[in-house]
Amino acid sequence: MTQRPDDAVPSRMDRRRALVIVAAGSGTRLGHGMPKAAVKITDRTVLDHALDAITADLALDLLVLVLPQDTDSQQHLVAASENLNHRCGAVVTVTGGATRTESVGSGVRAVEQHAELESWTGAVHVLIHDAARALTPGSVFERVLSALDAGAESVIPALPVTDTIKRVDGSERVTETVPRQDLRAVQTPQGFTLELLQRAFTHIRDLSKRDAAALTDEAMIAEDLGAAVTVVEGHPHALKITTSIDLTTVRAVIAELADHSEDDAAQERSLGPTTTSVREHDLSILELAVPRVGIGHDIHAFAPAEEPTELWLAGLHWPGERGLSGHSDADPVAHAACAALFSAAGMGDLGTHFGADTIGTSRAQYKGAGGVVLLAEAARIVREAGFRIGSVTVQFIGNRPKFATRREEAQQVLSEAASAPVAVSATTSDGLGFTGRGEGIMATATAVLY
Ligand code: CTP
Ligand code: MG
């Protein structure tokens, strides 16, 4: 039997694709005093990052940005959409409402108006996406769009639930453990046919305000209408930024992706160039990683003549020079470098990790350890916390020893210890202060972490 044209699978040209990004929320739980979409994750905002997923590969005919009502935020955020025209057919911005559902409603109305204006015929597939899921990879958008192309009328990306979930009663007493294998944590973008979305919004207009408020996403409204909702695989990076811990997680994800792309770049250097869209995506993320800067100081007095010590400075032994007194080898350069690393990571200071309490207990092996050993351990600690060390720079102030001839040697020893570039320089204080009077040496360090 010959298939009639009506029964044919719609060709790409028969359907249109629109993406609505809701970014109108106030971000109350994040607590930055500004709409969440305008909060900076790196040197770029939540919305900027969310828009990174939009590529020409998605073949979007329309992007609708739903922005907050206040004009300052709107103006600021609208700039994010300026370079999107070559990645999708058209870009429209509208103002959101008091609730997410109202904001989605504004977005869907904008899709309807655009479809009418452009005389679209055939099916219109609409994705609804939270700007707050700023790192959602393009692959999730593709899976949702493909499921719509394959005939689904409502599609959600979701992941299996990893926590054990309990149901409780009004007095916080457990009534049931819900079987985890049946549960999915739902993300966005969620995809719908425009026709289903229109029915959904007519449906919630008929509901009481309370019932409508209980329908927290559009897929729930579709379910309420009896529509079949298809689940496709979500992605861990599509987590929603709700509170400050989520912002920290998202920053760590960006740093991790940047690290991987560095590995890729090294591999590329050894294998010769390859061009993949994945690599381009990773590299764009590499550029986004925001450095963290730390500062550290350390001062040690020269040992009294009656209790002479050996001088250890900048990881080197200085035979014949007057030594310093203090903890371990009393190397202020190495100690300041450690302090700067901890400072950049927001992980306290030398005392936190190598103070009397810690060394007496969990880090007993570092009691009396030399500065180089401490620096290697400090570098390990910040790396373990998820940071990559960009560089460490130390300058010390002291009349002696004369440093220039051994600078290279010192930088090599310290860089090896930290497995990162460590630069050291020296100066005097022109005879002023305790360093000028030759009473001790002071070192100041900065560190950059990603
Ligand atoms: N959203 C919106 N309009 C609203 C409320 C929310 O466009 N009136 C959007 C948000 O910008 C976000 C997504 O819906 O991208 C998910 O909402 P949520 O995470 O709750 O964001 P906020 O409402 O901004 O945060 P909060 O609830 O903490 O104020
Ligand atoms: Mg909200």
Side-chain angles (χ1 to χ4, degrees):
M1 198 177 82
T2 8
Q3 209 175 29
R4 285 183 301 130
D6 303 4
D7 297 337
V9 176
S11 80
R12 276 175 75 96
M13 294 314 293
D14 288 334
R15 57 99 178 100
R16 301 290 182 155
R17 287 174 165 178
L19 166 63
V20 174
I21 298 190
V22 281
S26 55
T28 316
R29 286 169 290 176
L30 195 58
H32 278 232
M34 65 172 84
K36 190 155 65 186
V39 169
K40 288 197 168 174
I41 303 181
T42 54
D43 58 340
R44 299 167 74 234
T45 63
V46 167
L47 183 61
D48 288 329
H49 280 274
L51 294 175
D52 283 344
I54 297 170
T55 60
D57 290 348
L58 298 180
L60 296 173
D61 296 285
L62 173 66
L63 169 70
V64 179
L65 283 183
V66 186
L67 299 180
Q69 283 175 1
D70 88 273
T71 39
D72 277 357
S73 308
Q74 244 190 49
Q75 265 176 358
H76 180 58
L77 289 170
V78 129
S81 67
E82 267 161 15
N83 295 320
L84 285 169
N85 273 317
H86 64 285
R87 289 189 257 158
C88 54
V91 183
V92 169
T93 53
V94 294
T95 301
T99 63
R100 184 182 178 282
T101 307
E102 283 176 33
S103 294
V104 172
S106 307
V108 173
R109 269 195 305 284
V111 175
E112 287 171 335
Q113 281 163 9
H114 188 83
E116 207 175 300
L117 206 71
E118 298 291 318
S119 312
W120 283 359
T121 54
V124 179
H125 294 168
V126 185
L127 301 194
I128 311 284
H129 184 48
D130 290 342
R133 296 183 189 273
L135 298 192
T136 307
S139 56
V140 180
F141 289 76
E142 278 162 16
R143 281 196 280 276
V144 175
L145 287 166
S146 300
L148 289 169
D149 280 349
E153 58 174 354
S154 169
V155 185
I156 55 172
L159 287 179
V161 171
T162 49
D163 289 325
T164 296
I165 308 286
K166 310 262 184 202
R167 197 183 301 282
V168 295
D169 63 16
S171 46
E172 287 299 304
R173 243 184 271 257
V174 173
T175 57
E176 186 196 354
T177 300
V178 187
R180 196 165 56 189
Q181 64 274 19
D182 300 341
L183 298 178
R184 296 291 177 273
V186 174
Q187 304 177 325
T188 69
Q190 303 191 351
F192 308 90
T193 58
L194 179 59
E195 190 273 323
L196 177 62
L197 272 180
Q198 286 165 329
R199 273 199 286 139
F201 277 93
T202 312
H203 177 60
I204 53 171
R205 266 195 295 275
D206 295 342
L207 293 177
S208 72
K209 224 176 171 156
R210 202 161 140 231
D211 288 348
L215 298 171
T216 51
D217 71 359
E218 293 62 50
M220 275 181 85
I221 313 172
E223 285 161 55
D224 219 40
L225 283 173
V229 179
T230 303
V231 178
V232 297
E233 195 184 346
H235 196 287
H237 293 171
L239 74 147
K240 183 157 76 72
I241 302 168
T242 304
T243 61
S244 64
I245 185 84
D246 302 318
L247 203 53
T248 307
T249 307
V250 162
R251 285 178 177 142
V253 169
I254 290 174
E256 191 185 307
L257 288 171
D259 254 359
H260 284 164
S261 83
E262 265 205 336
D263 294 347
D264 283 354
Q267 204 180 10
E268 194 174 285
R269 277 194 296 278
S270 62
L271 295 178
T274 55
T275 45
T276 67
S277 58
V278 171
R279 175 139 316 134
E280 279 162 24
H281 177 71
D282 283 355
L283 284 177
S284 78
I285 289 199
L286 175 64
E287 285 156 16
L288 311 177
V290 170
R292 293 180 56 133
V293 176
I295 186 163
H297 288 284
D298 197 40
I299 296 170
H300 285 286
F302 283 112
E306 60 279 16
E307 286 171 49
T309 57
E310 295 289 308
L311 179 67
W312 281 89
L313 187 72
L316 303 179
H317 182 217
W318 297 78
E321 289 285 347
R322 188 175 168 193
L324 296 160
S325 57
H327 270 310
S328 63
D329 61 1
D331 180 345
V333 170
H335 293 177
C338 294
L341 286 172
F342 293 137
S343 153
M347 296 177 76
D349 47 36
L350 222 59
T352 315
H353 300 273
F354 304 121
D357 286 356
T358 326
I359 284 189
T361 54
S362 57
R363 275 187 223 279
Q365 73 271 35
Y366 292 101
K367 192 166 185 190
V372 169
V373 175
L374 295 185
L375 180 58
E377 175 62 4
R380 190 197 63 76
I381 291 170
V382 298
R383 283 203 178 91
E384 189 179 72
F387 295 99
R388 186 158 56 87
I389 302 172
S391 64
V392 181
T393 303
V394 196
Q395 186 175 57
F396 72 85
I397 307 176
N399 294 345
R400 294 203 58 82
K402 294 292 166 225
F403 186 62
T405 53
R406 298 192 74 189
R407 180 191 295 115
E408 286 300 326
E409 201 187 338
Q411 292 188 157
Q412 201 173 335
V413 167
L414 297 174
S415 300
E416 259 171 42
S419 297
V422 180
V424 188
S425 58
T427 186
T428 64
S429 54
D430 211 12
L432 298 174
F434 71 89
T435 50
R437 291 189 297 272
E439 292 166 9
I441 294 180
M442 169 173 145
T444 302
T446 56
V448 176
L449 300 185
Y450 294 89

